[in-house]
Each structure stands twice: as structure tokens, then as C-alpha cells.
Amino acid sequence: MADCGPVQRGGICFEPDTLVSHASYAFNSYYQQNGNNDVACNFGGTGVITHSDPSYGKCNYATSGRASSETSSSLRFTSNFDRWNLLGILVLFLYL
């Protein structure tokens, strides 16, 4: 239940074409569509809730709460991850 269309080739969030960028978008999409709570944020320590908007350029991350970045929250991918666990999570997203 994540919308990965924007990070597909040609999508508005495809650039930068990096694992971290695409995972951040996919994790946040999943987080927002699944109740934006701690349970929806269980990615084995690879994600962190942020209160600053991770959107950039035309790539807008969905947020919970009001429009103010002080009251909204998004999920952002962190660099502290096990690449094999991440690969498993991303493969899972492809089959949802």
C-alpha cells in the first residue's frame, strides 16, 4: 500500500535516482497510507519520523497533520540500515 509511481523513471520524484531517495519516498507513502503511527513506521530501524518537510522541487511528500511543517510529520529513510533487509522491504513493496 505505497504509491511508488512518483519514484519510477519519469516520475516527479525519480531524481535523484538513488536508493535512499526512492526508499524515503516509498517509506513515507506507506507510512501515510497506513495510519502514520509508530506501527506504520516499523521498518527495522531504517526510517525515522521527521517534523521537517522532506519535499524538494516538484517532489512533494505527503504529510500528516496540518500544513505547517511544525505540526506535520513525514517518514524519512535513514542511512543506518542493513542493505539486505532494505532490499527485502523494497521487493515487498513491489508485490503489494
Side-chain angles (χ1 to χ4, degrees), residues 1 39 42 65:
M1 296 208 47
V39 174
N42 185 5

Side-chain angles (χ1 to χ4, degrees), residues 1-2 29-37 39-40:
M1 296 208 47
S29 177
Y30 181 87
Y31 171 74
Q32 297 300 334
Q33 291 182 27
N34 290 281
N36 57 35
N37 58 45
V39 174

Side-chain angles (χ1 to χ4, degrees), residues 8-90:
Q8 300 297 316
R9 187 170 303 282
I12 60 173
C13 298
F14 180 73
E15 295 294 338
D17 181 13
T18 66
L19 178 65
V20 171
S21 178
H22 292 182
S24 289
Y25 189 88
F27 282 18
N28 184 64
S29 177
Y30 181 87
Y31 171 74
Q32 297 300 334
Q33 291 182 27
N34 290 281
N36 57 35
N37 58 45
D38 291 344
V39 174
C41 183
N42 185 5
F43 294 105
T46 59
V48 61
I49 294 176
T50 179
H51 295 287
S52 60
D53 187 355
S55 300
Y56 57 92
K58 293 181 180 180
C59 180
N60 293 311
Y61 280 57
T63 60
S64 62
R66 292 180 286 180
S68 167
S69 63
E70 294 176 7
T71 59
S72 63
S73 64
S74 294
L75 184 71
R76 185 172 51 105
F77 183 75
T78 66
S79 60
N80 298 327
F81 64 94
D82 177 298
R83 291 182 189 271
W84 290 109
N85 286 338
L86 174 63
L87 181 60
I89 291 168
L90 292 176

